């Protein structure tokens, strides 16, 4: 889906063993006014030992105008997606999206839309279940302002809405008298 040119577009890459993965990016309008933030980070590990193996990554969207909540969705490995215990642990964090190239999660607040798209994913191989953790993962994060211009359009519509009941009122009045007659 194309929403036009994004306000912010970044690549976020996780690589097994390369430190803590927790990316965040500011979302600003054309005049560089802060609108919010988005990012991606580790949601869940699997197995034991170092390096820790990631089985789920969450993407999040914070809107400065909708500061009550931060919206999150969770990209999960094939193993986590199909494991009832892992699903139960992850589902409270946000909708689960099976990781595969091209998979998309769309996060929305009142005024912002974030599209997180899996550009590349490679699973690790080892003693853990197949397709349970990532060697490398690249997510494209792109953010748009939802069309608040529609709110500007709604303002002129208010006088039209105010004048509409005056037109509708005579129809309503003409409609009420026939109802008591059948009773």
């Amino acid at each position: 889906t194309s929403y036009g040119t994004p306000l912010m577009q970044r690549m976020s890459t996780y690589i097994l063993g390369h430190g803590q993965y927790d990316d965040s990016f500011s979302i600003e309008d054309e005049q560089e006014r802060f609108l919010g933030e988005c990012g991606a980070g580790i949601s869940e590990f699997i197995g034991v030992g170092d390096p820790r193996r990631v089985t789920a990554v969450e993407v999040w969207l914070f809107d400065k105008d909708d500061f009550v909540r931060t919206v999150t969705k969770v990209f999960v490995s094939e193993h986590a997606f199909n494991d009832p215990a892992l699903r139960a642990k992850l589902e409270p964090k946000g909708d689960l999206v099976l990781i595969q190239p091209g998979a998309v999660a769309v996060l929305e607040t009142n005024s912002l839309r974030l599209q997180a798209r899996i550009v590349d994913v490679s699973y690790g191989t080892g003693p853990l279940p197949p397709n349970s953790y990532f060697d490398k993962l690249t997510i494209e994060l792109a953010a748009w302002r939802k069309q608040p211009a529609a709110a500007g359009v709604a303002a002129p519509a208010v006088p039209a809405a105010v004048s509409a009941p005056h037109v509708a009122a005579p129809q309503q009045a003409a409609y009420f008298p026939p109802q008591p007659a059948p009773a």
Side-chain angles (χ1 to χ4, degrees):
T1 308
S2 179
Y3 306 113
T5 304
L7 294 171
M8 184 275 325
Q9 187 170 17
R10 297 279 166 70
M11 292 294 180
S12 175
T13 302
Y14 162 80
I15 299 172
L16 178 68
H18 282 233
Q20 184 67 3
Y21 172 64
D22 186 15
D23 282 346
S24 64
F25 307 101
S26 286
I27 302 169
E28 298 175 339
D29 68 9
E30 297 81 359
Q31 288 76 41
E32 297 184 11
R33 286 185 295 236
F34 179 77
L35 302 175
E37 285 186 321
C38 65
I42 295 168
S43 186
E44 190 63 42
F45 295 103
I46 191 169
V48 294
D50 281 324
R52 300 205 56 198
R53 289 160 181 85
V54 175
T55 193
V57 169
E58 62 188 65
V59 292
W60 53 271
L61 173 62
F62 167 77
D63 180 342
K64 77 166 182 65
D65 293 331
D66 188 8
F67 52 85
V68 177
R69 64 196 171 102
T70 296
V71 183
T72 59
K73 297 223 176 168
V74 184
F75 282 112
V76 296
S77 69
E78 189 178 310
H79 173 76
F81 192 80
N82 293 312
D83 181 281
L86 274 170
R87 282 188 73 96
K89 189 174 183 180
L90 292 167
E91 281 172 338
K93 297 181 180 188
D95 294 340
L96 304 186
V97 179
L98 176 62
I99 278 199
Q100 52 193 359
V104 169
V106 175
L107 292 75
E108 295 192 16
T109 62
N110 290 337
S111 59
L112 296 174
R113 174 182 288 119
L114 176 71
Q115 178 179 286
R117 184 176 61 88
I118 302 300
V119 175
D120 185 43
V121 60
S122 60
Y123 281 108
T125 56
L128 294 170
N131 297 341
S132 64
Y133 69 95
F134 313 113
D135 267 344
K136 187 177 179 189
L137 171 65
T138 302
I139 304 171
E140 176 192 56
L141 299 169
W144 292 264
R145 186 194 307 240
K146 286 165 96 174
Q147 293 309 331
V153 173
V158 172
V162 170
S163 63
H166 298 299
V167 174
Q171 294 171 333
Q172 243 179 348
Y175 182 72
F176 279 54
Q179 280 186 326

